[in-house]
C-alpha cells in the first residue's frame, strides 16, 4: 500500500500535465524513434535501437512513478493566514544566527524542485516540524544526524 503524497495544487497540476504529455506525445515519439531504428537493420548491433528502447524504459518508469503519486495525492491548499501548510514559501533562520542568514524554502513535494526554490518536503524532520506553525515561532526538530536544531519562522508566503 502506498502512502499519501501531500501536494500543493500547483504540484498536482504540473504532475498531471507531465503524465498526460508522456502518455500521449512521449509514447508516440518513442514508438517513432524505435521504428526508425528498426529500419536501420540488424537490431543486435543497432545503437539507435538500444538507445530508443532505453529511453522508452526510462519514460515508462516515470509514467508509473507519476501514476503512483497522482493516485495517492492529497491536495493541500496553501494557507494565506500565516500558518504554514504544503505549498507555502517559508523563510527561516537557525536559532543563534542573525536574520541576514535567513533561508527560504518551499514546503512541498520534491516534484516541485523546478519552482526556483529549494524544497523541504512535509515528511522531512524540518518540514514536519514547520507544518502548522506561523511567523515568530521557534520550532525545534531532530536532524537526521541526531542533533536537536531550532529555527525561527521569519516569513510565510504563498506562491
Amino acid at each position: 500500500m502506498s502512502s499519501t503524497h501531500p501536494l500543493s495544487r500547483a504540484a498536482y497540476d504540473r504532475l498531471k500535465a507531465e503524465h498526460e504529455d508522456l502518455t500521449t506525445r512521449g509514447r508516440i515519439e518513442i514508438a517513432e524513434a524505435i521504428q526508425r531504428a528498426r529500419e536501420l537493420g540488424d537490431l543486435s548491433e543497432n545503437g539507435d535501437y538500444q538507445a530508443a528502447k532505453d529511453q522508452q524504459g526510462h519514460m515508462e518508469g516515470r509514467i508509473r512513478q507519476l501514476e503512483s503519486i497522482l493516485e495517492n495525492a492529497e491536495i493541500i491548499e496553501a494557507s494565506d493566514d500565516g500558518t504554514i501548510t504544503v505549498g507555502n514559501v517559508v523563510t527561516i533562520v537557525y536559532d543563534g544566527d542573525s536574520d541576514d542568514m535567513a533561508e527560504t524554502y518551499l514546503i512541498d513535494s520534491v516534484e516541485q524542485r523546478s519552482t526556483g526554490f529549494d524544497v523541504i518536503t512535509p515528511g522531512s524532520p524540518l518540514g514536519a516540524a514547520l507544518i502548522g506553525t506561523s511567523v515568530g515561532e521557534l520550532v525545534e526538530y531532530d536532524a537526521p544526524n541526531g542533533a536537536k536544531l531550532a529555527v525561527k519562522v521569519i516569513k510565510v508566503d504563498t506562491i
Side-chain angles (χ1 to χ4, degrees), residues 138-150:
L138 187 66
V139 178
E140 289 188 353
Y141 71 99
D142 293 323
N145 66 2
K148 195 165 250 332
L149 300 174

Side-chain angles (χ1 to χ4, degrees), residues 66-85:
L66 289 170
E67 287 171 348
S68 175
I69 292 170
L70 293 170
E71 275 179 21
N72 299 297
E74 177 186 357
I75 299 172
I76 299 173
E77 299 298 332
S79 171
D80 58 1
D81 68 357
T83 303
I84 299 171
T85 60

Side-chain angles (χ1 to χ4, degrees), residues 2-3 27 37 40 52 77 91 94 108 114 117 120 141 152 156:
S2 297
S3 61
R27 283 183 170 156
L40 297 175
E77 299 298 332
T91 303
Y94 282 88
D108 212 326
S114 63
F117 293 102
I120 297 175
Y141 71 99
K152 181 179 178 185
V156 178

Side-chain angles (χ1 to χ4, degrees), residues 42-108:
D42 184 10
L43 298 182
S44 65
E45 295 183 17
N46 186 331
D48 289 346
Y49 178 77
Q50 292 303 321
K53 291 298 281 183
D54 284 348
Q55 187 178 3
Q56 180 185 40
H58 289 292
M59 184 184 70
E60 290 300 326
R62 178 65 176 160
I63 289 170
R64 285 190 301 279
Q65 179 185 32
L66 289 170
E67 287 171 348
S68 175
I69 292 170
L70 293 170
E71 275 179 21
N72 299 297
E74 177 186 357
I75 299 172
I76 299 173
E77 299 298 332
S79 171
D80 58 1
D81 68 357
T83 303
I84 299 171
T85 60
V86 173
N88 283 129
V89 175
V90 181
T91 303
I92 59 172
V93 64
Y94 282 88
D95 192 31
D97 289 348
S98 64
D99 286 359
D100 64 334
M101 297 178 73
E103 300 172 2
T104 301
Y105 299 98
L106 171 65
I107 307 288
D108 212 326

